[in-house]
Amino acid sequence: MPSVNRVAHAPYAPLAAHLATLRRSVRLSQRSLALAAAVSRGTIQNAESGTSAPSLPVLDAILDACRASDHARHDAHTLRDRGRTLARGRDVIAPAASLIYGRGALAAVLASVYEKAGAPSPTAFTRPPAGLTSIPRTTLYNIVNRRRLPATEEQLETFLAVCHVKRSDRTHIHHAWRSLRAFPHPKPPTHRSSTPGHRYRP
């Protein structure tokens, strides 16, 4: 069993405390909760010790078994996302969505919302809900590593929707993307020799 100090500094410690509180509020033992959620007792122990985060389906099963309120569910998902970001050690510093001033800033904002969302599975982007455009894995990799922006505005909307970006911020981000797309990267200069008939060699 992990020490109290270790649990207190684990990325998932806040989520662990939240889930333990929910279980106790409905007067269930870990064994009873495991049976109600159709998971192993070890899964419950891991979730409440902060050593790992349950998958989203398991988390929802635990919340269902605890008869969690909408507010408690939202908190659980938020704490899981924050824990994943801390565990990955990739918290990205980025400007507010309303203050995006260039490609680098927009790329940082997109990487930041991805990390704050807990780095959703690539499947969430390649197979998004109906009405959203799929994002290829290579494109997703380039976006989250700040190498490229989404190729289309439809891809941008999928990215923001999967990362649960609020509507007001989406508006600013879409506006920034459209502004930047209106000014494409300049073409690289071509090398020309001053001597006719001489071919440039690097």
Side-chain angles (χ1 to χ4, degrees), residues 65-149:
C66 290
R67 301 191 291 278
S69 65
D70 290 342
H71 181 74
R73 285 175 181 275
H74 177 269
D75 286 350
H77 282 269
T78 299
L79 292 173
R80 180 182 182 275
D81 291 344
R82 288 178 182 171
R84 281 175 59 85
T85 296
L86 290 173
R88 285 163 55 83
R90 294 189 62 180
D91 200 10
V92 179
I93 298 175
S98 59
L99 299 176
I100 298 172
Y101 51 83
R103 287 179 180 272
L106 177 55
V109 166
L110 296 181
S112 176
V113 300
Y114 174 79
E115 295 299 335
K116 288 179 180 178
S121 165
T123 304
F125 299 93
T126 59
R127 297 179 182 177
L132 295 175
T133 300
S134 173
I135 301 178
R137 283 177 179 262
T138 301
T139 301
L140 176 65
Y141 175 84
N142 285 328
I143 294 171
V144 301
N145 286 285
R146 291 183 277 180
R147 295 184 176 184
R148 290 184 182 178
L149 300 178

Side-chain angles (χ1 to χ4, degrees), residues 15 19 54-64 73 76-77 80:
L15 174 61
L19 294 179
S55 66
L56 285 175
V58 170
L59 177 60
D60 286 334
I62 292 173
L63 295 173
D64 287 342
R73 285 175 181 275
H77 282 269
R80 180 182 182 275

